[in-house]
Amino acid sequence: MLILASKSPRRIEILKGLGKKFEIIPSQCAEKSTKKRPSARVVELATQKAFDVAKKYPAATVIGADTLVFCKGEVIGKPKDKADALRILKKLNGSWQSVYTGVCLVCKDTHKMLYGYDVSYCKARRLSNKELAHYAGKHMDKAGAYAVQDDEDPFIERIVGSRTNVVGFPVEYFNQLYKEFTK
């Protein structure tokens, strides 16, 4: 059995698009990390999520994932409220940022675990304060407070690397990891 330890609509849609049959059992862990490096942080949180669900389903292969944005020395997660979303968008406005997604596959019964991360780079358009205020609060459930998959969100003008990573689930990286895991 394959389990996605997430209720993210984007992760669910992407995984379904890969033709995988899986259950959706969101992790209930607190999602706290002491790691400073973005790559280490997303791997730690993805691993926490996978193990949280694997404790209850030890025979299953559990997928944990976590995404964050890193810009100008700051780790940026999901906005706390509309004012925070505006602050985030102002920080990212016209700038390059890195988007990290950690992925962890674990099966407790077979004592198998593989994990790692993917990184993509995004360039945000320079928008006016009025435009930023208009978009602030539209994407409260997304790291960076924007959504590249939303055709009506013009914030990102260029992506270098995996687009699905920016959406929250790096297909190419996951396929590599999954292939290795199921050998």
Side-chain angles (χ1 to χ4, degrees):
M1 172 166 44
L2 187 62
I3 297 175
L4 177 63
S6 173
K7 63 182 178 200
S8 160
R10 283 129 339 256
R11 288 189 183 123
I12 293 165
E13 182 182 334
I14 290 170
L15 200 53
K16 280 182 180 175
L18 295 176
K20 304 267 186 245
K21 291 194 186 293
F22 62 97
E23 300 291 319
I24 300 160
I25 303 173
S27 165
Q28 301 301 314
C29 71
E31 293 190 42
K32 293 198 185 296
S33 175
T34 58
K35 306 292 184 193
K36 300 285 185 230
R37 279 193 349 264
S39 58
R41 184 177 289 205
V42 293
V43 166
E44 180 181 40
L45 292 172
T47 302
Q48 285 175 11
K49 292 173 186 181
F51 269 92
D52 181 58
V53 174
K55 286 186 295 190
K56 298 172 200 113
Y57 301 91
T61 296
V62 181
I63 305 164
D66 191 75
T67 302
L68 65 75
V69 173
F70 187 75
C71 183
K72 299 175 185 170
E74 182 183 347
V75 170
I76 299 168
K78 297 173 187 171
K80 295 173 187 65
D81 53 32
K82 190 171 178 174
D84 191 40
L86 182 58
R87 178 195 67 79
I88 290 169
L89 292 176
K90 282 182 176 181
K91 182 176 199 82
L92 301 176
N93 197 25
S95 298
W96 279 96
Q97 66 234 235
S98 307
V99 179
Y100 291 83
T101 300
V103 178
C104 179
L105 292 168
V106 66
C107 178
K108 288 191 66 131
D109 279 1
T110 61
H111 303 287
K112 283 180 89 174
M113 179 173 89
L114 280 178
Y115 58 86
Y117 70 95
D118 196 11
V119 62
S120 301
Y121 304 95
C122 299
K123 173 78 164 66
R125 277 189 179 79
R126 178 149 306 278
L127 300 178
S128 70
N129 284 337
K130 184 178 179 182
E131 289 170 309
L132 292 173
H134 173 74
Y135 290 111
K138 283 187 122 177
H139 303 292
M140 298 298 289
D141 63 333
K142 294 169 188 68
Y146 62 83
V148 296
Q149 68 275 18
D150 181 347
D151 292 335
E152 298 191 19
D153 187 342
F155 195 58
I156 299 300
E157 69 179 6
R158 184 161 179 226
I159 297 172
V160 177
S162 168
R163 186 177 192 284
T164 58
N165 179 53
V166 179
V167 175
F169 197 73
V171 168
E172 303 85 354
Y173 183 73
F174 170 76
N175 282 337
Q176 253 180 303
L177 213 58
Y178 191 74
K179 186 176 177 184
E180 182 69 25
F181 191 85
T182 55
K183 274 187 180 175

